[in-house]
Amino acid sequence: MDNLILAEPPHLVVQGEGPHMGQKMYLFRVKGCPVQCDGCDSAYTFQSSSEKGITYSVDEFQNLLELKKSKFERVMVSGGEPALYVNFFEEYFKKYSDKNIKFEIETSGWGDWSSLHTWWDHIHFNFSPKIGALQGKIKEWPALDNLPYHYCVKVVTSRDTFFLDMEEINKLQKKHNIPDSKVYLMPLGTTREEMVDQSAFVLEGAMEYGYQFSPRLHILIYDTKRLV
């Protein structure tokens, strides 16, 4: 896509998941998602098809980052599915390769990001393939065929699906040569109560299987409240 289309205004957040949890980031939540898994905590990004969204050109995007960059540590691009906008980010990095701005891209792995390999030093990818408790419509994850330099794989799981989920994770690891240290297990749920209920079980399971554990701070802190 030529422009970046957002489901909500960009705003400052604290990363709630994965290896950079707790860092301040400037969030761009994109509109649209082909995966559309049941239980998505950001379903409004693809359900509100009648809303046009907020549009940024490459130049407008860069101007906003320049204006705000003293306030954040990384730019987070989430969704929805950011891979819908690979062409936009290709154009952005070709035109504005600012080494002082680091990116965090939250993506299912549905799309191919290999065209950005020249700029992979600038980007950390948080892949969330829907192979666990959050099963989506898509079953192949081409982004994992050509893994970037900096990445992790986050999988939502629960006590009800845990052992089947571990089988699926193991298959994914073998197929894409993903080490245990890159895998983060996260508890299923879209409410604070569900997070608390599932977390101890998932934490113990992650330790037993040699994976990392990640809470989902944004849900634990804000519950179901949207910040914008």
Side-chain angles (χ1 to χ4, degrees):
M1 294 188 181
D2 295 332
N3 292 316
L4 192 68
I5 304 175
L6 305 183
E8 61 190 25
H11 56 285
L12 285 172
V13 297
V14 170
Q15 171 62 282
E17 301 172 351
H20 297 133
M21 186 171 57
Q23 289 190 12
K24 283 191 305 181
M25 301 194 184
Y26 200 34
L27 171 63
F28 291 81
R29 189 178 293 283
V30 303
K31 190 173 175 61
C33 182
V35 184
Q36 300 187 11
C37 53
D38 295 333
C40 176
D41 60 5
S42 303
Y44 61 91
T45 61
F46 56 82
Q47 289 175 342
S48 55
S49 57
S50 62
E51 297 178 14
K52 292 182 179 179
I54 304 164
T55 301
Y56 286 88
S57 68
V58 167
D59 291 337
E60 289 169 336
F61 180 73
Q62 173 63 11
N63 289 340
L64 184 59
L65 295 188
E66 284 294 323
L67 183 66
K68 300 287 187 179
K69 70 179 183 180
S70 64
K71 298 182 179 181
F72 61 81
E73 297 172 10
R74 291 173 180 262
V75 174
M76 184 198 300
V77 185
S78 187
E81 176 47 73
L84 291 169
Y85 301 89
V86 168
N87 292 343
F88 174 91
F89 287 105
E90 279 187 63
E91 184 63 27
Y92 167 78
F93 283 112
K94 285 177 183 176
K95 194 169 184 178
Y96 300 106
S97 188
D98 187 339
K99 294 182 179 179
N100 294 318
I101 297 179
K102 298 294 184 182
F103 279 76
E104 187 116 341
I105 294 181
E106 302 272 347
T107 172
S108 66
W110 163 82
D112 182 6
W113 293 91
S114 60
S115 60
L116 299 184
H117 71 276
T118 303
W119 302 282
W120 274 353
D121 274 336
H122 299 278
I123 308 169
H124 185 278
F125 288 89
N126 295 315
F127 295 114
S128 300
K130 309 310 177 188
I131 60 173
L134 284 182
Q135 286 288 349
K137 299 175 182 179
I138 308 296
K139 303 301 179 186
E140 296 296 325
W141 312 105
L144 302 183
D145 290 331
N146 191 11
L147 287 166
Y149 305 145
H150 312 294
Y151 76 95
C152 71
V153 176
K154 303 183 302 183
V155 181
V156 171
T157 186
S158 72
R159 62 169 59 87
D160 293 335
T161 64
F162 185 81
F163 296 105
L164 287 176
D165 295 345
M166 295 308 101
E167 292 179 10
E168 292 300 314
I169 293 171
N170 188 252
K171 290 177 187 175
L172 190 81
Q173 286 184 268
K174 288 180 178 178
K175 181 177 180 180
H176 299 287
N177 195 28
I178 298 169
D180 291 351
S181 61
K182 295 285 190 180
V183 178
Y184 285 72
L185 301 187
M186 304 191 304
L188 175 68
T190 58
T191 69
R192 182 185 297 131
E193 183 179 3
E194 290 168 339
M195 288 291 99
V196 172
D197 179 61
Q198 295 282 352
S199 287
F201 177 88
V202 175
L203 170 60
E204 291 169 8
M207 294 176 68
E208 180 180 349
Y209 278 77
Y211 297 138
Q212 312 286 1
F213 170 79
S214 174
R216 304 169 76 190
L217 286 182
H218 53 295
I219 297 176
L220 289 173
I221 295 171
Y222 297 109
D223 202 8
T224 59
K225 180 182 177 182
R226 281 180 60 182
L227 299 184
V228 293

